[in-house]
Amino acid sequence: MKNTNEKTNVSRILDQKKIVYESYSYQPDATLTGNQIAQLLHLEPQRMFKTLVTVAHSKQHYVFVVPVNCELNLKKAAKAVNEKSIEMIKMKELLALTGYVHGGCSPIGMKKFFPTVIDESAETFDKIIFSAGKVGHQVEMNPQDLLKVIEFKYADIKE
């Protein structure tokens, strides 16, 4: 399904900043993988990204955004943020830390901003797709426009 009228926190932020984006929605199901969501919405999985929240050995939290058909390489990710090591946060910590639930985590609109790294493959696309901050909702936008909303850097962070 394309172009939903239901507003999420992410779409409100994008509207406020006058950033062009497309909205997609599907029947909310937190058990769906990113690849399955891409298939459901008839979108290319390599343009669809997932948002992962980590914690470093230093206790600093970081956000990494990688294609849904890839895994985050923890060694490359740690190197990208100059940390000795990082690990995924526990799922039960996600809501309190970010304001988002598993399957609905977006790099835009977290409770607090965390240093963010997006896989360099996103630079090769005119538009990328990621969660709109709610299970069942995705946004598609130009990755350069994302820089108008959050600070991030590109790095090779996927497996």
Side-chain angles (χ1 to χ4, degrees), residues 46-78:
Q46 63 274 18
R47 286 194 317 117
M48 195 162 219
F49 287 73
K50 58 187 171 187
T51 305
L52 305 170
V53 183
T54 64
V55 62
H57 183 71
S58 68
K59 303 292 182 232
Q60 167 70 48
H61 289 93
Y62 294 95
V63 174
F64 294 95
V65 182
V66 297
V68 296
N69 55 1
C70 299
E71 293 302 317
L72 177 66
N73 179 311
L74 294 174
K75 280 189 169 52
K76 287 180 180 179

Coordinates of all heavy atoms in Angstrom, one line a residue, residues 46-78:
Q46 N 17.4 -3.5 -1.5 CA 18.7 -2.8 -1.3 C 18.5 -1.3 -1.0 O 19.4 -0.7 -0.5 CB 19.6 -3.1 -2.5 CG 19.2 -2.5 -3.9 CD 18.3 -3.5 -4.6 OE1 17.7 -4.4 -4.1 NE2 18.1 -3.3 -5.9
R47 N 17.3 -0.8 -1.3 CA 17.1 0.7 -1.0 C 16.3 0.8 0.3 O 16.1 1.9 0.8 CB 16.2 1.3 -2.1 CG 16.9 1.6 -3.4 CD 16.1 2.5 -4.3 NE 14.7 2.2 -4.5 CZ 13.8 3.1 -4.1 NH1 14.0 4.2 -3.6 NH2 12.5 2.8 -4.3
M48 N 16.0 -0.3 0.9 CA 15.3 -0.3 2.2 C 16.3 -0.5 3.4 O 17.0 -1.5 3.3 CB 14.2 -1.4 2.2 CG 13.2 -1.2 3.2 SD 11.8 -2.2 2.7 CE 10.5 -1.2 3.2
F49 N 16.2 0.4 4.3 CA 17.2 0.3 5.4 C 16.5 0.1 6.8 O 15.4 0.5 7.0 CB 18.0 1.7 5.4 CG 19.0 1.8 4.3 CD1 18.6 2.0 3.0 CD2 20.4 1.6 4.5 CE1 19.5 2.0 2.0 CE2 21.3 1.7 3.5 CZ 20.8 1.9 2.2
K50 N 17.3 -0.5 7.7 CA 16.8 -0.7 9.0 C 17.7 0.1 10.0 O 18.9 0.3 9.7 CB 16.8 -2.2 9.4 CG 18.2 -2.9 9.3 CD 18.0 -4.4 9.5 CE 19.3 -5.1 9.2 NZ 19.2 -6.6 9.2
T51 N 17.1 0.5 11.1 CA 17.8 1.3 12.1 C 18.1 0.5 13.3 O 17.2 -0.1 13.9 CB 16.9 2.5 12.5 OG1 16.5 3.2 11.3 CG2 17.6 3.5 13.4
L52 N 19.4 0.4 13.6 CA 19.9 -0.4 14.7 C 20.5 0.4 15.8 O 21.3 1.3 15.5 CB 20.9 -1.4 14.2 CG 20.4 -2.3 13.0 CD1 21.5 -3.1 12.4 CD2 19.3 -3.2 13.5
V53 N 20.2 0.2 17.0 CA 20.8 0.9 18.1 C 21.8 0.1 18.9 O 21.5 -1.1 19.2 CB 19.7 1.5 19.1 CG1 20.2 2.3 20.2 CG2 18.6 2.2 18.3
T54 N 22.9 0.6 19.2 CA 24.0 -0.1 19.8 C 24.5 0.6 21.1 O 24.2 1.8 21.2 CB 25.2 -0.3 18.8 OG1 25.7 1.0 18.5 CG2 24.8 -1.0 17.6
V55 N 25.3 -0.1 21.8 CA 26.0 0.6 22.9 C 27.5 0.2 22.8 O 27.8 -1.0 22.5 CB 25.4 0.2 24.3 CG1 25.5 -1.3 24.6 CG2 26.0 1.0 25.4
A56 N 28.4 1.1 23.0 CA 29.8 0.9 23.0 C 30.4 0.5 24.3 O 29.7 0.7 25.4 CB 30.6 2.1 22.4
H57 N 31.6 0.0 24.3 CA 32.3 -0.4 25.5 C 32.4 0.9 26.4 O 32.3 0.7 27.6 CB 33.7 -0.8 25.1 CG 34.6 -1.3 26.3 ND1 34.3 -2.5 26.9 CD2 35.6 -0.7 26.9 CE1 35.2 -2.6 27.9 NE2 36.0 -1.5 27.9
S58 N 32.4 2.0 25.8 CA 32.5 3.3 26.6 C 31.1 3.7 27.2 O 31.0 4.7 27.8 CB 32.9 4.4 25.6 OG 31.9 4.7 24.7
K59 N 30.1 2.9 26.9 CA 28.7 3.2 27.3 C 28.0 4.2 26.5 O 26.8 4.5 26.7 CB 28.6 3.6 28.8 CG 29.2 2.6 29.8 CD 28.4 1.3 29.8 CE 29.0 0.3 30.8 NZ 29.3 -1.0 30.3
Q60 N 28.6 4.8 25.5 CA 28.0 5.7 24.5 C 27.1 4.9 23.6 O 27.5 3.8 23.1 CB 29.1 6.4 23.7 CG 28.6 7.2 22.5 CD 27.8 8.4 22.8 OE1 28.2 9.2 23.6 NE2 26.6 8.5 22.2
H61 N 25.9 5.4 23.3 CA 25.0 4.8 22.3 C 25.2 5.3 20.9 O 25.5 6.5 20.8 CB 23.5 5.0 22.7 CG 23.2 4.2 23.9 ND1 23.2 4.7 25.2 CD2 22.7 2.9 24.1 CE1 22.9 3.8 26.1 NE2 22.6 2.7 25.4
Y62 N 25.1 4.4 19.9 CA 25.2 4.8 18.5 C 24.1 4.2 17.7 O 23.6 3.2 18.1 CB 26.5 4.3 17.9 CG 27.8 4.9 18.6 CD1 28.4 4.3 19.6 CD2 28.3 6.1 18.1 CE1 29.5 4.9 20.2 CE2 29.4 6.7 18.7 CZ 30.0 6.1 19.7 OH 31.1 6.6 20.3
V63 N 23.7 4.9 16.6 CA 22.7 4.4 15.7 C 23.4 4.1 14.4 O 24.1 4.9 13.9 CB 21.6 5.5 15.5 CG1 20.6 5.0 14.5 CG2 20.9 5.8 16.8
F64 N 23.0 2.9 13.9 CA 23.6 2.5 12.6 C 22.4 2.1 11.7 O 21.4 1.5 12.1 CB 24.5 1.3 12.7 CG 25.7 1.6 13.5 CD1 25.8 1.4 14.9 CD2 26.8 2.2 12.9 CE1 27.0 1.7 15.6 CE2 28.0 2.5 13.6 CZ 28.0 2.3 14.9
V65 N 22.5 2.5 10.4 CA 21.4 2.3 9.5 C 22.0 1.5 8.3 O 22.9 2.0 7.6 CB 20.8 3.7 9.0 CG1 19.7 3.5 8.0 CG2 20.4 4.5 10.2
V66 N 21.5 0.3 8.1 CA 22.0 -0.6 7.1 C 20.9 -1.2 6.2 O 19.8 -1.2 6.7 CB 22.8 -1.8 7.7 CG1 24.1 -1.3 8.5 CG2 22.0 -2.6 8.6
P67 N 21.2 -1.6 5.0 CA 20.2 -2.2 4.2 C 19.5 -3.4 4.9 O 20.2 -4.1 5.6 CB 21.0 -2.7 2.9 CG 22.2 -1.9 2.9 CD 22.5 -1.6 4.3
V68 N 18.2 -3.6 4.7 CA 17.5 -4.7 5.4 C 18.0 -6.0 5.0 O 17.8 -7.0 5.7 CB 16.0 -4.6 5.2 CG1 15.4 -3.3 5.8 CG2 15.6 -4.7 3.7
N69 N 18.6 -6.2 3.8 CA 19.1 -7.5 3.3 C 20.5 -7.7 3.8 O 21.2 -8.6 3.3 CB 18.9 -7.6 1.8 CG 19.6 -6.5 1.0 OD1 20.2 -5.6 1.6 ND2 19.5 -6.6 -0.3
C70 N 21.0 -6.9 4.7 CA 22.4 -7.1 5.2 C 22.4 -7.1 6.7 O 21.4 -6.7 7.4 CB 23.3 -5.9 4.8 SG 23.4 -5.8 3.0
E71 N 23.5 -7.5 7.3 CA 23.7 -7.4 8.8 C 24.7 -6.3 9.1 O 25.6 -6.0 8.2 CB 24.2 -8.7 9.3 CG 23.2 -9.9 9.2 CD 21.9 -9.6 9.9 OE1 21.9 -9.1 11.0 OE2 20.8 -9.9 9.3
L72 N 24.6 -5.8 10.3 CA 25.6 -4.8 10.7 C 26.9 -5.5 11.1 O 26.9 -6.5 11.8 CB 25.1 -4.0 11.9 CG 26.0 -3.0 12.6 CD1 26.3 -1.9 11.7 CD2 25.4 -2.5 13.9
N73 N 28.0 -5.1 10.6 CA 29.3 -5.7 11.0 C 29.8 -4.9 12.2 O 30.1 -3.7 12.1 CB 30.3 -5.5 9.8 CG 31.7 -6.1 10.1 OD1 32.3 -5.8 11.2 ND2 32.2 -6.9 9.2
L74 N 29.8 -5.5 13.4 CA 30.1 -4.8 14.6 C 31.5 -4.3 14.7 O 31.7 -3.2 15.2 CB 29.8 -5.7 15.8 CG 28.3 -6.1 16.0 CD1 28.2 -7.1 17.1 CD2 27.5 -4.9 16.3
K75 N 32.4 -5.0 14.0 CA 33.8 -4.5 14.0 C 34.0 -3.2 13.2 O 34.6 -2.2 13.6 CB 34.8 -5.6 13.5 CG 35.2 -6.6 14.5 CD 36.2 -7.5 13.9 CE 36.9 -8.5 14.8 NZ 36.1 -9.3 15.7
K76 N 33.4 -3.3 12.0 CA 33.4 -2.1 11.1 C 32.7 -0.9 11.7 O 33.1 0.2 11.6 CB 32.7 -2.4 9.7 CG 33.5 -3.3 8.8 CD 32.7 -3.5 7.5 CE 33.4 -4.4 6.5 NZ 32.6 -4.6 5.3
A77 N 31.5 -1.2 12.4 CA 30.7 -0.2 13.1 C 31.6 0.5 14.2 O 31.6 1.7 14.3 CB 29.5 -0.8 13.6
A78 N 32.2 -0.3 15.0 CA 33.0 0.2 16.1 C 34.1 1.1 15.5 O 34.4 2.2 16.0 CB 33.6 -0.9 16.9

